[in-house]
Amino acid sequence: TGRGGYCILDFERPVLGSVLIDIEAPEGAIMDLGYSESLGGGRVLTKRFDYRFADRYILRGGRQRIEKRLHDRGFRFLQLVFRQFNQPIQIHSLTVSQRTYPIPVEAAFECNDPFLNQLWAMCRATIAACCTDTFIDCPWREQAFWINDALVVNVFYLSLTSDRLLPARCLRLGADGQLPNGLIPAVYPSEQKTVFPSMPAIWAIILSDYYLYTNDLALAQELLPVMDKG
């Protein structure tokens, strides 16, 4: 009838990347995409707290490919809403191009409890979705390197893999942000100058965990002056 319609897709795990849609629609039809980690009242709530997570596309006539390239989106649930159309709309395909760090997962877990096996897979997918060029707060809300969140992600990451590159990069990045007074910003790099007094201690704990898991004495010695200053 042209009054509109919507559908919700559940990817059953957190994903981070670009949504690719091959769609056929009439000229001027509107497609809104909403992203969320969970549902509220059976719908994706595109405004949560002070955050808004939705994209609007005004479609050309005919078959076309839609891809978001300016900013990656993190979500589990994807809501598609269609408005202003007087002819049928056909979705030929919808995929997500993942843009996360290629974690070489080496740890494994399996038992006779299906729930625990599913929980293991979900936790592994969550860590994978929080790894880009740094450890990030979360793929949905804050795609930024918050050092207090890295304290948690770092340990789980090192439990899954023997890869040193990403944890070492995060440690060096935190060290690069150290202020003249020894404090380390809570989020870096960022124009937001948020400083928590506990950040130098948290960063030092991350370095300690890294060394305990990797025995990488060279990096510990490289960053020791930063820890002493903090």
Side-chain angles (χ1 to χ4, degrees):
T1 63
R3 296 175 58 188
Y6 78 94
C7 64
I8 297 175
L9 304 180
D10 181 1
F11 286 76
E12 299 185 339
R13 61 185 177 89
V15 295
L16 173 63
S18 177
V19 178
L20 312 175
I21 303 177
D22 181 358
I23 189 171
E24 193 168 353
E27 179 79 23
I30 294 175
M31 178 178 67
D32 293 329
L33 302 184
Y35 313 88
S36 183
E37 293 180 321
S38 60
L39 297 178
R43 296 292 296 270
V44 167
L45 305 179
T46 55
K47 183 180 186 300
R48 300 284 296 274
F49 314 112
D50 293 327
Y51 300 89
R52 296 177 184 272
F53 297 100
D55 297 307
R56 167 163 288 189
Y57 299 92
I58 300 176
L59 305 179
R60 301 188 304 271
R63 188 167 178 174
Q64 57 208 281
R65 175 186 170 96
I66 304 296
E67 178 180 1
K68 184 171 182 60
R69 297 182 178 180
L70 296 179
H71 194 285
D72 291 335
R73 293 295 190 184
F75 55 94
R76 170 180 167 174
F77 296 95
L78 175 65
Q79 180 173 274
L80 295 88
V81 180
F82 298 95
R83 300 179 173 90
Q84 291 188 195
F85 58 95
N86 53 15
Q87 298 176 20
I89 292 176
Q90 181 175 0
I91 299 175
H92 294 276
S93 67
L94 188 151
T95 59
V96 175
S97 177
Q98 284 275 78
R99 304 193 192 280
T100 54
Y101 185 79
I103 303 176
V105 176
E106 297 161 324
F109 174 84
E110 187 175 4
C111 69
N112 58 4
D113 188 330
F115 172 77
L116 293 179
N117 292 333
Q118 182 183 11
L119 183 62
W120 160 263
M122 291 173 64
C123 291
R124 183 178 61 187
T126 298
I127 293 298
C130 290
C131 298
T132 56
D133 59 334
T134 65
F135 296 140
I136 61 174
D137 173 278
C138 66
W140 166 68
R141 184 169 57 94
E142 291 178 333
Q143 297 172 16
F145 176 47
W146 285 84
I147 294 176
N148 52 313
D149 295 306
L151 174 66
V152 179
V153 180
N154 179 64
V155 173
F156 283 101
Y157 184 90
L158 292 170
S159 299
L160 288 172
T161 176
S162 61
D163 175 59
R164 302 180 180 183
L165 297 178
L166 186 57
R169 167 174 164 75
C170 292
L171 281 164
R172 289 190 174 104
L173 195 60
D176 182 71
Q178 189 172 46
L179 303 173
N181 61 5
L183 292 177
I184 295 176
V187 56
Y188 185 83
S190 173
E191 295 180 354
Q192 181 178 333
K193 306 303 181 184
T194 302
V195 176
F196 301 154
S198 60
M199 280 302 110
I202 290 176
W203 182 88
I205 294 173
I206 297 174
L207 178 59
S208 174
D209 290 338
Y210 173 85
Y211 177 70
L212 289 174
Y213 273 88
T214 67
N215 200 31
D216 186 354
L217 183 60
L219 184 66
Q221 291 175 332
E222 174 190 333
L223 299 178
L224 187 60
V226 178
M227 185 173 66
D228 289 341
K229 185 177 180 180

